[in-house]
Amino acid sequence: ETGVTQTPRHLVMGMTNKKSLKCEQHLGHNAMYWYKQSAKKPLELMFVYSLEERVENNSVPSRFSPECPNSSHLFLHLHTLQPEDSALYLCASSPGGAGGLYNEQFFGPGTRLTVL
Amino acid sequence: QKEVEQNSGPLSVPEGAIASLNCTYSDRGSQSFFWYRQYSGKSPELIMFIYSNGDKEDGRFTAQLNKASQYVSLLIRDSQPSDSATYLCAVNEGGGGNKLTFGTGTQLKVEL
């Protein structure tokens, strides 16, 4: 497996469910990111982890909870979501840690989430 | 609020023509600039990045940066139908950190 992988690729959940999205990067990168992409809106940065430390939490509701157990894995735990949370959730990684201005970000394929 | 603006399009060009995609940004302290291509139903794919004023060429793609005017553009020469996609401009703020602000993207259609 190469690059950035995400599972599951599609997820349908009810508002009372608890689920988790998983991201794994095989690039030896030090930073990982969660983005939300909704139709007709720009990519929204949710969380940034650098060297396993959360360095950015972009005013995301507490029903989204990230976890980064090591530099290769990133999770997004979901609970009591709302229908407006339905979107494409993208994970990305970049080579450098915090403070790197010139770090290209590489994206995984995304998880298409539908909240009923 | 730091913003990145792109014309949503669609921008239609004939096959073989030059496609010109533009992006403006509000934060004068921005340091690095990225162009991503996103096919429908797929994730963004990095095309190229630019840090210095001027042009940067990579194959059929040329990125142009003008920090004084706060715009960055992407030229695609000899456009092909496979170039039809949405092109996202992303800007990295200055002051440390690796936070990218994305535009909404420009949809490009290359017609036969």
Side-chain angles (χ1 to χ4, degrees), chain A residues 35-46:
Chain A
Y35 286 89
K36 176 184 179 182
Q37 188 174 36
S38 304
K40 306 299 182 185
K41 293 178 68 175
L43 273 165
E44 300 172 51
L45 178 65
M46 300 175 72

Side-chain angles (χ1 to χ4, degrees), chain A residues 7 11 21 23-24 33-34 36-37 44 94 98 108 113:
Chain A
T7 55
L11 179 62
L21 309 184
C23 175
E24 185 172 358
Y33 313 78
W34 279 118
K36 176 184 179 182
Q37 188 174 36
E44 300 172 51
S94 66
L113 174 66

Side-chain angles (χ1 to χ4, degrees), chain A residues 7-60:
Chain A
T7 55
R9 297 292 305 276
H10 300 273
L11 179 62
V12 179
M13 59 187 291
M15 290 192 287
T16 58
N17 291 158
K18 290 184 179 181
K19 297 287 184 183
S20 296
L21 309 184
K22 178 183 176 182
C23 175
E24 185 172 358
Q25 59 95 1
H26 309 268
L27 301 169
H29 289 172
N30 289 320
M32 297 185 77
Y33 313 78
W34 279 118
Y35 286 89
K36 176 184 179 182
Q37 188 174 36
S38 304
K40 306 299 182 185
K41 293 178 68 175
L43 273 165
E44 300 172 51
L45 178 65
M46 300 175 72
F47 302 103
V48 180
Y49 276 83
S50 176
L51 300 171
E52 302 156 41
E53 179 183 345
R54 190 191 308 180
V55 296
E56 184 80 31
N57 180 342
N58 218 22
S59 302
V60 179

Side-chain angles (χ1 to χ4, degrees), chain B residues 19-81:
Chain B
S20 177
L21 305 162
N22 299 312
C23 171
T24 59
Y25 57 94
S26 63
D27 183 11
R28 189 169 288 277
S30 299
Q31 299 287 324
S32 51
F33 308 85
F34 302 83
W35 282 101
Y36 286 84
R37 177 177 62 201
Q38 187 172 24
Y39 292 111
S40 180
K42 302 294 185 181
S43 62
E45 172 191 10
L46 181 66
I47 298 175
M48 62 189 305
F49 51 87
I50 187 167
Y51 309 138
S52 304
N53 276 329
D55 295 358
K56 179 182 178 183
E57 186 175 319
D58 184 0
R60 295 187 296 112
F61 299 96
T62 299
Q64 300 176 316
L65 175 61
N66 184 324
K67 289 187 177 180
S69 300
Q70 294 176 236
Y71 86 78
V72 57
S73 61
L74 179 70
L75 302 179
I76 306 175
R77 290 182 299 281
D78 188 24
S79 296
Q80 302 297 309

